[in-house]
Amino acid sequence: MFLIHAALRAPAPGVQLPASTAEFIRHLPGAEELVEHVSAHPGALPDPVVGLYVLADGLAEAERRTEDLCRRALAEVRALRGWRVTRVGVPLVAPYYEQLLQSSSGRPGRIGTGPFPST
């Protein structure tokens, strides 16, 4: 199983991703065979993101299935017409952890303010 993100571009500036986007995708015919869970992140920047836990034998297949399913949803679900897929891939979490390390102690590589356990 792979977590794949699909970024979606609005048809016009200011258009919000529908609240039911995850449900629309999850309930497409055949989706239940490919997807374990779907969640939507309408506030993601620069574009809203849909996250799918996809069953596949490999990463390339999971990304292809995600893109196919999202493109199908954009074509078949009236509330999603006009939206487009801008990128599909595995989310990178390294920037999040780097920011967490920096903000928690003020020093790179440290999570807490105390001494290292080995000192």
Side-chain angles (χ1 to χ4, degrees):
M1 185 178 334
F2 297 86
L3 170 59
I4 309 294
H5 280 182
L8 305 178
R9 178 81 32 97
V15 175
Q16 298 294 312
L17 189 68
S20 300
T21 298
E23 289 301 308
F24 293 148
I25 293 171
R26 181 77 176 110
H27 290 105
L28 283 174
E32 67 277 355
E33 299 168 7
L34 308 173
V35 178
E36 287 290 314
H37 178 75
V38 181
S39 63
H41 307 280
L45 295 174
D47 295 310
V49 171
V50 177
L52 294 89
Y53 282 93
V54 180
L55 301 171
D57 291 331
L59 177 59
E61 180 184 348
E63 289 175 336
R64 181 188 52 75
R65 286 181 173 188
T66 297
E67 184 170 1
D68 290 349
L69 192 58
C70 288
R71 289 189 188 283
R72 217 172 92 212
L74 300 181
E76 295 177 15
V77 176
R78 179 173 295 195
L80 297 175
R81 289 201 183 125
W83 285 80
R84 62 188 176 90
V85 176
T86 59
R87 63 185 151 70
V88 174
V90 174
L92 299 177
V93 296
Y96 167 78
Y97 288 107
E98 287 297 321
Q99 184 274 331
L100 181 66
L101 289 171
Q102 286 284 348
S103 66
S104 64
S105 70
R107 297 180 303 209
R110 297 291 304 272
I111 293 179
T113 56
F116 286 113
S118 62
T119 59

